[in-house]
Amino acid sequence: MDAGKFCSGCLRDQEQNDAAAWCLDCQEDVCEACAKAHKRINPPHKVMPLNDENVKGPSFNHMIQFCDVHTDQKYVQICTQHDQIICELCVEEIHANCNAVKPIENFSKESENGAWIKVLQKEMINLDGDLHTLMRIQTDMIPQLKERKKEILKQLSFVRQQIDAQLDKMENDLIADLSKKYNTCKEMIEQSNHSTANKRSDLQCWIKNLTKTEESRDQVQIFQAIKVIDRKLKEEKSSMNKSQQISIEFHTPDINDLLMNFMSFGEISVIECVNVELLQALKHDQPMNESEISNVSDSSLREGNIQCITAFSTPIFGTDVEIERGCFITNNRLLLLDIDQPFLYVCSFDGSGVETIQVDQKPWDVALIDTVSAIITFQNKGYRILDLSTLTLGQYLKPEAPGCYAVTSSQGQIWIDTGSFAIIQIDINGNVLRTLTTKHEIKSICSNDTGYIYYVSNEVQNDKIYCIKAGGEERDNNLYVSPIVMTPCIFNSASLRINAT
């Protein structure tokens, strides 16, 4: 029995039983008990021991013979335009407009399968090593995850301590404020009480003196006493009516609102990001060496003499970055556009030395103008000129056109697709010098030193390259398109050009 392999059927029933065989019909591992059950099915399933060297062999044969899209159809044709082997239904439904479809038998006779087998074997060995590395890295993730959990628990404890400390401070501040206001109120009450006691003492004296004044029978003095005492009594009664109750209150916040605004210490989330360690360890992105390339003489792949010299993965720019357009610039650098986000990237040919330029909206296309400047288009907003020495962008310029989309530049001539079946030639200040109409909606555009302009259409299933001559005449250009390139796209460059014949 293979260590680590469990019966697929038992796993679905939440049981872990060691796998002992492979069911060719179900294409899954089975234990001894399930193997017997599979053999008793009518018609019986073909079950092979795991130690049989041919186990899973028919699965491989099925994979290489039957179509991925139409799983009950066999591969019978090859579309050299898309470099895909296809079934008859694929020819009718997907590749109906392709003009480079022929039987596999005819093509396989022309191919040098031996050279490609060696290349594939090397790539599979490299991939196997990469998968082994990935398994090691994934295994290491569990203890790393455990350590991360401990760190987060410490962070939670720290947050709790900070919150407790803040609550203690708030409580102590309120207690101190309560004591201060209590003492203030107490002092005010004591002062009022002392004043009231003085008034009562005065009143008692007035009572005694009024009696004496009455006994004196001095009518003038009695009249004066009556008037003064009456006024004083009214004043004291009025003052007493205005006497205020002094107390202290605690205005508590609404507990529900308080809890609503303080729902948690934080948030735990699962982060999936690029595994830098894995990217550094992978081998299969390395280009084939010259000897491997020279062994491949298949005409459908060698025509055009295109070779991969260097390559790198876009995660070096960040997550969810898709690069579709760019151009070569000075000092052996690339200027690349993110098609989904408002960013430009400048880097060396090997992807090192990345510099990120943020813009206010997603760019559409880019082209090199000269050794010190490049032009970037922004659809309806126009275009901006990038200073390549400082990597700073100029202001928006908007020519008299519906929009600015695909762009190319050669020999000082700047051509921009307006998005409405027309291209315009402009100067660097946005003045329109010339307008040419096109037969098709443009996806990408490129010009050469002779004044010829080439473009590919944005139409689905249209893989042609169109040429506009210097005089404005447009024609289909029967240029070779590699079957590896499923959607033609022109990479603007001062050194990568298509020369007219």
Side-chain angles (χ1 to χ4, degrees), residues 184-202:
T184 301
C185 291
K186 180 183 176 184
E187 183 179 346
M188 292 172 62
I189 292 172
E190 288 175 345
Q191 289 176 353
S192 297
N193 185 261
H194 180 71
S195 176
T196 302
N198 289 337
K199 290 178 181 180
R200 188 183 179 194
S201 177
D202 291 343

Side-chain angles (χ1 to χ4, degrees), residues 44-255:
H45 285 193
K46 185 169 180 56
V47 178
M48 301 177 67
L50 284 181
N51 57 9
D52 191 314
E53 62 180 10
N54 293 318
V55 70
K56 298 190 181 182
S59 170
F60 177 80
N61 290 334
H62 187 279
M63 178 184 71
I64 65 174
Q65 291 182 30
F66 286 85
C67 179
D68 288 339
V69 181
H70 309 97
T71 54
D72 61 338
Q73 298 289 313
K74 285 190 173 184
Y75 292 123
V76 292
Q77 304 281 350
I78 180 169
C79 175
T80 57
Q81 183 173 322
H82 294 110
D83 193 30
Q84 291 180 345
I85 53 175
I86 54 180
C87 68
E88 291 292 358
L89 292 181
C90 285
V91 176
E92 298 173 5
E93 298 175 7
I94 304 174
H95 299 265
N97 295 324
C98 297
N99 53 13
V101 176
K102 56 183 177 178
I104 290 178
E105 291 81 0
N106 296 347
F107 188 82
S108 61
K109 295 175 183 177
E110 300 171 5
S111 303
E112 295 185 3
N113 292 332
W116 277 114
I117 287 290
K118 291 179 181 179
V119 172
L120 288 176
Q121 286 173 335
K122 180 177 179 180
E123 289 183 356
M124 286 191 290
I125 292 172
N126 286 342
L127 181 57
D128 181 65
D130 292 340
L131 291 173
H132 177 74
T133 300
L134 178 58
M135 288 176 62
R136 175 183 58 79
I137 293 174
Q138 289 171 335
T139 302
D140 292 342
M141 284 181 184
I142 301 298
Q144 293 171 2
L145 196 64
K146 194 171 184 179
E147 287 301 315
R148 184 59 186 144
K149 180 184 177 182
K150 291 180 180 178
E151 293 174 4
I152 292 176
L153 287 173
K154 289 180 181 178
Q155 289 178 314
L156 280 173
S157 177
F158 177 75
V159 171
R160 175 59 184 265
Q161 292 173 9
Q162 294 295 105
I163 292 174
D164 288 345
Q166 179 63 21
L167 290 174
D168 290 341
K169 180 180 181 302
M170 292 166 62
E171 182 182 14
N172 291 333
D173 288 346
L174 280 174
I175 292 173
D177 192 40
L178 174 61
S179 298
K180 180 179 179 181
K181 286 183 169 58
Y182 168 79
N183 292 330
T184 301
C185 291
K186 180 183 176 184
E187 183 179 346
M188 292 172 62
I189 292 172
E190 288 175 345
Q191 289 176 353
S192 297
N193 185 261
H194 180 71
S195 176
T196 302
N198 289 337
K199 290 178 181 180
R200 188 183 179 194
S201 177
D202 291 343
L203 181 62
Q204 290 173 352
C205 289
W206 293 346
I207 292 173
K208 292 178 182 180
N209 289 331
L210 182 61
T211 301
K212 290 179 181 180
T213 302
E214 183 182 10
E215 292 175 351
S216 69
R217 297 184 182 280
D218 185 339
Q219 298 301 317
V220 173
Q221 193 172 7
I222 292 173
F223 180 77
Q224 290 176 335
I226 292 171
K227 290 298 182 182
V228 171
I229 294 302
D230 182 61
R231 177 171 57 81
K232 289 289 185 180
L233 290 177
K234 289 179 179 179
E235 288 175 355
E236 288 301 328
K237 287 180 180 180
S238 176
S239 175
M240 188 173 61
N241 290 334
K242 294 178 181 178
S243 177
Q244 295 180 338
Q245 174 74 23
I246 298 176
S247 181
I248 49 180
E249 298 291 336
F250 177 41
H251 303 285
T252 61
D254 188 303
I255 298 301

